[in-house]
Amino acid sequence: MAKPVEEVRKERMNVKVEEVSSIKKKLIFEVASERVDQEIKRAFKKIGKTAKIKGFRAGKIPESVLEKYYGAQMEQEVLGRLINDTYCKALEDHDIPAVGEPSIVDSSGVNKGAAFTYEAEVEIKPHVTAKDYTKLSLEKEKFVPDPKAVEGRLEEMRMSRAQLEVTSRKKARKGDSVVIDFEGFVDDNAFAGGKGEDYLLELGSGSFIPGFEDQVIGMQREEARDVKVSFPEDYGQAELAGKPAVFKVLLKEIKEKVVPELNDEFAKGFGAESLADLREQLQKSYETQEASRVENDLREKLVSNLIERNPIEIPEAMIAKQLDYMYENISNRMQSQGMSPAMLGITPENFRENYRKTAIDQVSGTLILEAIGRQENIAAEADEIDAKLEEIATMANAPLDMVKKYYASPDARDGLLAQIAEEKVVSFLLENAKVKEVVPKKAPKKSENQAEKEEA
């Protein structure tokens, strides 16, 4: 049963605060009749300026007449004003760290000469007292350089500069790009969206229905072929899902990728002085990225350990906000690559379902690290901000003045201070942890779904 934890009488308003749970409070309001009458009079005065009632001049309509025609509008305006004013004041007076919009669970309605009462429930930021956060036992991956990493990156760079050229070969093979005309039929009937002309298809890309590209491999120029496939059961168009189809395909041209030679001239195209210089740059970049990955992995293990030792109930409003941030982040990253979440079958709804636990863990970790910082008196100092801004400018390859301008707003500056403080807390925890370096086991190849989760 909820118990009142505090009650304070304010001028023309009583507020009683009850603790519903560790993450929710109920506020019970009683607004004096004098204040209610004042707001009713104010609302009718506003309405009367524009109200049109036959037989009365605008601005001269008696309040009793306005009440008859505009009573519902008046009540909505008064309710909104009273609730907004009293609710915000109560949060400030009682130092309630609300994290979402209030839910009005009861209201008396607005009546002349009577007090207005209502009840509101709101989620609050949980107060965390962290425990068992020193002398943690953690394993840190020992960095073992991959001798093939640089050459693999060079090959990717070569492929990125590849040009498609018409091949002299007679038959198409995997990796070729073919120009085709096609039309699809289900039950001998052409279907919408199943026709294309001069379509450029890379064989082996998996961009068409499973089995389609495999049957185009081996075709010759000007050859026509019936390609028989079945739409996947979970295909986006319900009327086609799971049905067999026949595509009439005409292969018009075969093109192959021609990659540039790996030499000094190629390296200069990427801003290096020579191929040796490019290899050196790639090696440094690879080592920096791997060192960052190892540190991030250690940080994740640290935070997971803390979450396990400090379970927290997280408000739905904080989970929703984190999910919104994550979805926006992955959407922006895909957009920069010319893609969208929808292209991978990701919708806001299934994203929320699949990443809910990740969001909860991220919020939990932030709250625990914040609590440790408070308990250990670890905070960001003003003189640390400039160094952090320079670091951000260097990493983003952006002008320092532009970065400073972005972080000049109070919200951005507060966020930066919180980031600095969190990094200092993590350093403190790692200094007081037992960290064992281990040689990594050969990791299995990640699925596409696993890779997406890590990116979010």
Side-chain angles (χ1 to χ4, degrees):
M1 180 176 178
K3 295 181 180 180
V5 295
E6 48 185 321
E7 183 174 0
V8 177
R9 180 176 295 274
K10 296 289 180 185
E11 185 181 357
R12 293 194 288 181
M13 177 178 80
N14 289 336
V15 182
K16 182 166 62 175
V17 182
E18 295 181 351
E19 186 173 312
V20 179
S21 70
S22 64
I23 58 171
K24 184 179 288 187
K25 287 185 183 290
K26 178 189 283 188
L27 288 76
I28 303 170
F29 295 83
E30 181 182 345
V31 183
S33 59
E34 294 86 358
R35 172 76 187 278
V36 176
D37 290 347
Q38 184 184 59
E39 293 299 336
I40 290 175
K41 191 170 291 291
R42 179 187 295 186
F44 276 135
K45 185 177 180 180
K46 178 184 175 184
I47 293 169
K49 290 179 179 178
T50 56
K52 294 180 180 180
I53 299 176
K54 191 175 181 180
F56 296 92
R57 285 186 300 164
K60 300 295 183 179
I61 305 172
E63 189 174 298
S64 58
V65 177
L66 285 172
E67 186 171 3
K68 180 180 178 181
Y69 289 94
Y70 292 93
Q73 182 180 335
M74 174 278 295
E75 183 166 6
Q76 287 302 310
E77 290 189 14
V78 173
L79 280 173
R81 189 173 182 87
L82 287 175
I83 290 175
N84 285 339
D85 289 354
T86 56
Y87 175 75
C88 293
K89 183 169 177 55
L91 293 184
E92 182 180 349
D93 290 345
H94 297 278
D95 196 22
I96 297 172
V99 293
E101 294 298 318
S103 172
I104 307 302
V105 294
D106 192 22
S107 170
S108 66
V110 174
N111 297 289
K112 277 186 181 179
F116 168 61
T117 62
Y118 74 97
E119 297 179 6
E121 290 186 353
V122 63
E123 289 186 311
I124 61 171
K125 180 180 178 180
H127 180 78
V128 179
T129 301
K131 61 180 182 180
D132 301 332
Y133 53 81
T134 57
K135 298 181 180 178
L136 300 174
S137 295
L138 302 169
E139 288 188 348
K140 178 180 180 179
E141 178 185 329
K142 182 179 181 180
F143 174 51
V144 179
D146 180 357
K148 298 180 181 179
V150 170
E151 294 306 315
R153 178 63 185 133
L154 280 171
E155 188 59 26
E156 290 175 3
M157 294 165 73
R158 285 182 72 209
M159 295 303 293
S160 73
R161 296 292 175 93
Q163 300 291 323
L164 283 178
E165 296 181 6
V166 174
T167 181
S168 59
R169 282 185 287 103
K170 294 181 178 180
K171 292 185 178 182
R173 65 187 182 192
K174 187 174 181 179
D176 286 342
S177 290
V178 294
V179 179
I180 59 172
D181 290 346
F182 63 89
E183 185 171 14
F185 298 83
V186 171
D187 298 328
D188 295 326
N189 295 312
F191 56 87
K195 185 176 181 179
E197 294 182 355
D198 294 328
Y199 188 90
L200 186 65
L201 172 65
E202 182 181 346
L203 301 179
S205 65
S207 55
F208 265 41
I209 301 168
F212 184 99
E213 294 168 30
D214 292 338
Q215 295 178 60
V216 176
I217 292 173
M219 287 181 66
Q220 299 184 41
R221 288 181 185 82
E222 301 305 324
E223 179 183 347
R225 179 179 293 183
D226 286 351
V227 173
K228 299 177 181 180
V229 294
S230 290
F231 284 97
E233 295 291 340
D234 58 353
Y235 192 66
Q237 294 176 253
E239 66 275 14
L240 298 176
K243 291 186 177 181
V246 176
F247 283 84
K248 295 188 177 297
V249 179
L250 172 65
L251 192 147
K252 301 170 81 173
E253 189 56 271
I254 304 171
K255 298 182 179 183
E256 63 180 342
K257 288 181 180 177
V258 178
V259 297
E261 288 187 37
L262 198 57
N263 52 28
D264 289 345
E265 198 62 33
F266 170 82
K268 289 176 182 178
F270 289 92
E273 294 180 0
S274 64
L275 182 57
D277 181 37
L278 180 59
R279 280 196 167 97
E280 185 178 342
Q281 290 180 22
L282 291 176
Q283 183 66 34
K284 287 180 180 178
S285 174
Y286 162 67
E287 290 176 1
T288 299
Q289 289 175 2
E290 283 300 289
S292 177
R293 180 188 63 78
V294 169
E295 290 301 323
N296 288 336
D297 180 64
L298 178 61
R299 186 188 187 280
E300 287 182 13
K301 290 176 181 176
L302 168 69
V303 173
S304 295
N305 211 309
L306 291 172
I307 293 172
E308 188 177 335
R309 293 163 180 250
N310 295 272
I312 308 171
E313 187 177 7
I314 305 297
E316 284 297 323
M318 295 184 79
I319 298 171
K321 184 177 180 180
Q322 185 65 19
L323 283 166
D324 287 343
Y325 168 78
M326 292 164 62
Y327 185 77
E328 182 181 4
N329 192 25
I330 196 171
S331 297
N332 290 340
R333 189 158 53 244
M334 287 185 175
Q335 188 175 3
S336 69
Q337 299 169 352
M339 301 174 65
S340 70
M343 292 171 69
L344 297 180
I346 300 174
T347 65
E349 292 73 26
N350 64 32
F351 182 88
R352 286 179 174 276
E353 182 180 348
N354 294 335
Y355 291 91
R356 180 179 171 83
K357 185 181 182 307
T358 303
I360 292 173
D361 286 346
Q362 289 181 357
V363 175
S364 296
T366 297
L367 291 173
I368 295 168
L369 291 173
E370 185 181 280
I372 295 171
R374 184 177 63 251
Q375 291 166 219
E376 296 290 338
N377 294 316
I378 300 172
E381 303 296 336
D383 59 357
E384 294 174 311
I385 294 178
D386 288 340
K388 189 64 179 176
L389 291 174
E390 290 179 8
E391 179 187 329
I392 293 170
T394 300
M395 291 179 65
N397 195 25
L400 181 58
D401 288 344
M402 185 183 294
V403 174
K404 285 183 176 181
K405 185 177 180 181
Y406 174 81
Y407 284 100
S409 70
D411 286 346
R413 188 177 179 84
D414 288 346
L416 184 62
L417 287 169
Q419 181 185 343
I420 295 170
E422 187 172 289
E423 289 172 358
K424 291 174 71 174
V425 171
V426 170
S427 296
F428 164 79
L429 293 171
L430 291 176
E431 287 170 4
N432 288 275
K434 299 176 181 177
V435 181
K436 179 182 178 184
E437 199 171 48
V438 295
V439 177
K441 296 177 182 177
K442 192 171 183 180
K445 189 175 182 181
K446 293 175 185 174
S447 68
E448 189 172 305
N449 191 46
Q450 284 175 316
E452 287 168 18
K453 286 196 173 185
E454 287 182 7
E455 285 187 358

